[in-house]
Amino acid sequence: MRIDVVTLFPGYFEAPLGTSIIGRASERGLLEFGVHDLRDHGLGRHRSVDDQPYGGGAGMVMRPEPLFAAVEPLKAAGATVVLLDPAGERLTDALARELATLRHLALVCGRYEGIDDRVRALVDREVSIGDYVLTGGELPALVLIDAMSRFVPGVIDDASQAGDSFAGGLLEHPQYTRPESFRGMDVPAILFSGHHAEVDRWRRRESLRRTLERRPDLLAGAPLTDADRVVLDELRGGGED
Ligand code: ADE
């Protein structure tokens, strides 16, 4: 998968794209990144990229020409153009999974108070990472890259992905590692039992419990078995294990 980013702050991307799982995926050629400085397409001696809003008001608006100049070649090369914007479609696990199937994405990071609305003519999708306003689209672009990368084949192993929160519509079960006992808190004994089926049942139950307690809204859309419904009824009844 190739991901191009158009930004006024290329420095934002250096460490995150070169570190950890994404850094390794990029070294292995599973992900290929291009970070483009919008300032290279700025206008005039000062390489200006923004101006005052027509109609008046506070703040500056990003002009269309530099954005068109930066994005058009990427579009011509076949990229799907995604603008990061608080008014976009909300990023979910499902959207990350869908975008990760594309071969070439161009992510456009807005800044300042906004961008000239004519830029939307270039854009295929708009994505928001949540109902809050950040100072620009750089962190949202990194969030989207991180969330998508996990679905690019080979980036992480499929087994570790399958149990992750949201993957099956539920939150993930609790995890433990050594030591067995820490400050009076013990790892549940079932996890040492060696009974894989029992461990799986316990994990499913804890996943259901956690989702019921923290994100009951997810249960409506989760694929549940009859056995899951029995467990949920028990949990709702306040029943102990
Ligand atoms: N730019 C500023 N805030 C944003 C958000 N919440 N999501 C995507 N892009 C943004």
Side-chain angles (χ1 to χ4, degrees), residues 7-19:
T7 172
L8 276 170
F9 301 98
Y12 250 106
F13 295 86
E14 278 164 26
L17 299 186
T19 306

Side-chain angles (χ1 to χ4, degrees), residues 84-86 127-130 132-137 140:
L84 284 306
D85 191 287
V127 173
S128 163
I129 63 162
Y132 40 84
V133 178
L134 299 168
T135 54

